[in-house]
Amino acid sequence: MTRRFTTEVTVQWGDVDLAGVVYFPHFFRYVDIAEAEFYHSLGPTVLELEESLGIRLPRVEATCRFLKPARFCDRLSVTLEIEQFGAKTVRYLFDVKRGDEAIAEGHLVIATVSIADFKAIPLPQKLRELLQPYAPPDGGA
């Protein structure tokens, strides 16, 4: 069974539009918060990890399907799980819930690139090892 990482965010006043619901780009910020907290739970912050490995982890693909509106002061849980390792990428699935109610779902693909020239490079072994406890049993291949 794949391990999942979950964190909580609270919808802030600045996150909602004139209709009183979360403006859609903010869901990607919630996922970004979850991803940063996920790496931090493994030890280093994202920046410390990138610097130590000489890499950056840009997002190369992101999707989100919105299922229900979220509103000011809602407490949302954001869950990440690794769906797949590629040679140079990691694909995460995410979902956003309010209690047991599904609010949004999607995926995020990050690539590993060299700090020096921002060209794609293979996933560093140390990164694979850090993420392995959260990888699917078959490695997501």
Side-chain angles (χ1 to χ4, degrees), residues 80-132:
L80 291 177
E81 73 177 85
I82 296 172
E83 179 184 35
Q84 178 178 0
F85 283 124
K88 300 175 183 180
T89 61
V90 178
R91 181 183 170 106
Y92 293 99
L93 299 179
F94 68 84
D95 62 58
V96 180
K97 293 183 177 179
R98 180 180 44 236
D100 292 333
E101 184 178 32
I103 300 296
E105 62 189 16
H107 76 269
L108 178 69
V109 178
I110 62 166
T112 49
V113 299
S114 167
I115 285 177
D117 60 10
F118 216 72
K119 292 194 188 281
I121 60 171
L123 285 173
Q125 186 60 34
K126 180 174 179 175
L127 180 59
R128 282 185 184 274
E129 290 169 4
L130 263 175
L131 299 177
Q132 194 58 48

Side-chain angles (χ1 to χ4, degrees), residues 1 3 7 14 40 47 53 62 69 72 76 82 85 89 122 126 140-141:
M1 182 171 162
R3 286 177 54 191
T7 193
H40 195 63
L47 186 57
L53 297 175
F72 175 57
L76 304 175
I82 296 172
F85 283 124
T89 61
K126 180 174 179 175

Side-chain angles (χ1 to χ4, degrees), residues 1-138:
M1 182 171 162
T2 303
R3 286 177 54 191
R4 297 164 51 97
F5 177 82
T6 301
T7 193
E8 291 191 352
V9 296
T10 301
V11 175
Q12 302 298 308
W13 177 249
D15 294 346
V16 299
D17 60 18
L18 292 175
V21 298
V22 172
Y23 181 54
F24 74 91
H26 293 295
F27 282 93
F28 289 109
R29 185 170 51 83
Y30 302 156
V31 173
D32 189 56
I33 290 167
E35 184 188 10
E37 289 186 12
F38 169 62
Y39 281 105
H40 195 63
S41 77
L42 299 174
T45 66
V46 174
L47 186 57
E48 290 168 342
L49 179 65
E50 288 179 332
E51 293 294 327
S52 72
L53 297 175
I55 63 170
R56 292 290 182 237
L57 298 170
R59 284 97 194 108
V60 295
E61 184 176 306
T63 66
C64 188
R65 193 174 87 149
F66 306 101
L67 306 169
K68 301 234 171 141
R71 302 186 189 300
F72 175 57
C73 287
D74 280 353
R75 192 83 173 135
L76 304 175
S77 62
V78 182
T79 300
L80 291 177
E81 73 177 85
I82 296 172
E83 179 184 35
Q84 178 178 0
F85 283 124
K88 300 175 183 180
T89 61
V90 178
R91 181 183 170 106
Y92 293 99
L93 299 179
F94 68 84
D95 62 58
V96 180
K97 293 183 177 179
R98 180 180 44 236
D100 292 333
E101 184 178 32
I103 300 296
E105 62 189 16
H107 76 269
L108 178 69
V109 178
I110 62 166
T112 49
V113 299
S114 167
I115 285 177
D117 60 10
F118 216 72
K119 292 194 188 281
I121 60 171
L123 285 173
Q125 186 60 34
K126 180 174 179 175
L127 180 59
R128 282 185 184 274
E129 290 169 4
L130 263 175
L131 299 177
Q132 194 58 48
Y134 288 86
D138 63 359

